[in-house]
Amino acid sequence: MDGSEIRRWDELIPDALGLIFSNLSLKDKLTLIPTICKSWRKAVMGPYCWQEIDIEEWSCRRQPEELDRMLQMLITRSSGSPRKLCVSDLPNDTIFSYVADHASSLQTLQLPGSKISDSIVEHLAGKMATITLLDLTYCGKIGARALEAFGKNCKFLVTLRRNMHPSDVDVGNRGCQDNEAHAIATTMPKLKHLEIAYMVITTEGILDILSGCRELESLDVRGCWDVKLDDKFLDEKCSGLKVLGPSVMDNYYRNYYDDLSDYSDSSGYSAWMFSTHLYDGESSDGVWDDEQRLEELELRFYEGFDEEDDDDFGEFE
């Protein structure tokens, strides 16, 4: 309308822009927004865009060095204060150590398919005291020691996901996990939601949990074939508790990696890659700080890439 004031998006303060951009996809924040203008590039590199870091789909089957660099870059951009981190397939304890040392304010930590060890969790769980939701789905290299460490140090923990993959049960790769049930029962009294689908656990293990976690509201024991729960007992002793399983009525717990198979090499999302080249442009507003070389990584995005035509892709600078 004539005489009306036109509000320029590029003149919004960086904090406001950062909050808006936080609703965009990872791809857009890393490859699209920085190319629009200097003010948008500055905003997307600030901490407000990265309070919630979700690279769970991107990180599946990534090379350790790629995953390490991505996490370092994003946690650095968050000023070391993300509230939420979702990442799959952490390949080793070193990367977990970096997360624990530089993201101590986490409330949600989801690490499905990660290969972290009991010893590293025991050593660093004290740095993650603010966690309220913890996802250790398909983390086959940890056990009761890690759960006990998280439980003793994360006093605000209300949701735990410790689902295992059904194929592990079928091939008998794991022994009885009642010791994990005991660790949960004795160190996580404030739990409200617990998922332990396809764990090798007995009825005694579940009764241990029900005795120690009196605030439980939901319990998922689908695929825990040795568990026999009496409905009358649950009604009398655990009124209000919603129990799912042990019978499996759907295919919710399919292979995590099969679920991500749609993101093939020809799809835009999983076709991201890091280049070893540094950003070769200059920024007059000082966004590209020489002291933070991680933020000088060049991200390339390509579609339809194959080995026979490896030069045919678009580059975002």
Side-chain angles (χ1 to χ4, degrees):
M1 297 176 62
D2 293 340
S4 64
E5 181 181 355
I6 299 176
R7 298 183 179 182
R8 295 175 55 89
W9 279 70
D10 59 344
E11 292 180 357
L12 285 174
I13 60 175
D15 292 358
L17 280 173
L19 290 174
I20 294 171
F21 295 157
S22 66
N23 295 301
L24 299 177
S25 68
L26 177 67
K27 180 186 72 175
D28 287 343
K29 285 189 288 187
L30 289 181
T31 63
L32 177 60
I33 295 301
T35 68
I36 304 300
C37 62
K38 292 180 180 178
S39 63
W40 282 30
R41 184 171 67 247
K42 183 177 181 179
V44 83
M45 295 186 69
Y48 284 94
C49 270
W50 306 105
Q51 296 304 293
E52 296 189 358
I53 300 174
D54 188 347
I55 57 172
E56 186 172 330
E57 293 177 349
W58 178 89
S59 57
C60 182
R61 296 176 178 174
R62 288 289 154 182
Q63 293 298 316
E65 59 272 16
E66 291 180 339
L67 183 53
D68 190 21
R69 282 168 21 215
M70 176 68 94
L71 278 174
Q72 289 190 44
M73 181 177 68
L74 297 185
I75 291 176
T76 298
R77 289 188 181 186
S78 75
S79 296
S81 59
R83 296 188 304 270
K84 177 179 180 180
L85 175 62
C86 305
V87 54
S88 64
D89 293 338
L90 286 186
N92 52 54
D93 288 348
T94 302
I95 300 180
F96 179 78
S97 297
Y98 180 85
V99 172
D101 289 335
H102 296 85
S104 59
S105 61
L106 283 172
Q107 298 173 14
T108 296
L109 179 61
Q110 298 179 221
L111 304 172
S114 294
K115 297 177 177 61
I116 57 177
S117 68
D118 282 329
S119 58
I120 196 65
V121 173
E122 289 176 319
H123 181 62
L124 296 173
K127 298 183 178 182
M128 299 180 162
T130 57
I131 291 176
T132 60
L133 186 155
L134 179 63
D135 187 346
L136 300 174
T137 296
Y138 305 153
C139 294
K141 292 193 176 230
I142 60 171
R145 290 165 50 198
L147 292 178
E148 182 177 358
F150 275 124
K152 286 182 176 179
N153 290 280
C154 304
K155 299 300 184 181
F156 304 104
L157 190 64
V158 295
T159 300
L160 174 65
R161 297 171 185 161
R162 179 62 177 140
N163 305 306
M164 303 305 291
H165 194 272
S167 66
D168 290 340
V169 178
D170 294 340
V171 299
N173 284 343
R174 288 177 281 118
C176 181
Q177 295 174 289
D178 277 356
N179 59 341
E180 294 193 26
H182 184 70
I184 293 170
T186 56
T187 65
M188 304 178 186
K190 299 297 184 182
L191 274 185
K192 295 182 182 295
H193 309 284
L194 176 60
E195 299 178 13
I196 50 175
Y198 292 103
M199 285 185 66
V200 182
I201 196 168
T202 68
T203 303
E204 288 72 21
I206 294 299
L207 294 178
D208 197 6
I209 290 173
L210 295 180
S211 176
C213 304
R214 296 299 184 89
E215 299 183 20
L216 269 183
E217 297 175 3
S218 64
L219 175 63
D220 188 346
V221 291
R222 281 182 288 184
C224 299
W225 306 118
D226 293 331
V227 173
K228 309 296 180 184
L229 295 176
D230 182 77
D231 290 339
K232 183 179 179 180
F233 169 83
L234 291 175
D235 290 338
E236 292 178 353
K237 302 295 184 180
C238 307
S239 178
L241 175 63
K242 297 179 180 178
V243 179
L244 189 58
S247 298
V248 179
M249 303 303 294
D250 56 40
N251 62 346
Y252 179 79
Y253 289 107
R254 294 181 297 165
N255 189 325
Y256 174 75
Y257 306 103
D258 290 344
D259 288 344
L260 298 179
S261 62
D262 290 340
Y263 297 93
S264 62
D265 288 341
S266 62
S267 69
Y269 192 77
S270 68
W272 297 32
M273 61 180 266
F274 278 107
S275 170
T276 56
H277 302 292
L278 295 177
Y279 182 82
D280 56 5
E282 295 183 357
S283 174
S284 59
D285 57 10
V287 171
W288 301 96
D289 191 338
D290 288 339
E291 295 181 359
Q292 295 185 2
R293 304 297 289 177
L294 291 172
E295 294 183 353
E296 295 179 343
L297 290 171
E298 177 184 332
L299 285 169
R300 294 183 178 180
F301 176 73
Y302 59 92
E303 294 190 17
F305 175 81
D306 56 50
E307 295 181 354
E308 296 179 356
D309 191 13
D310 58 3
D311 293 327
D312 188 16
F313 57 87
E315 181 175 324
F316 288 81
E317 296 183 351

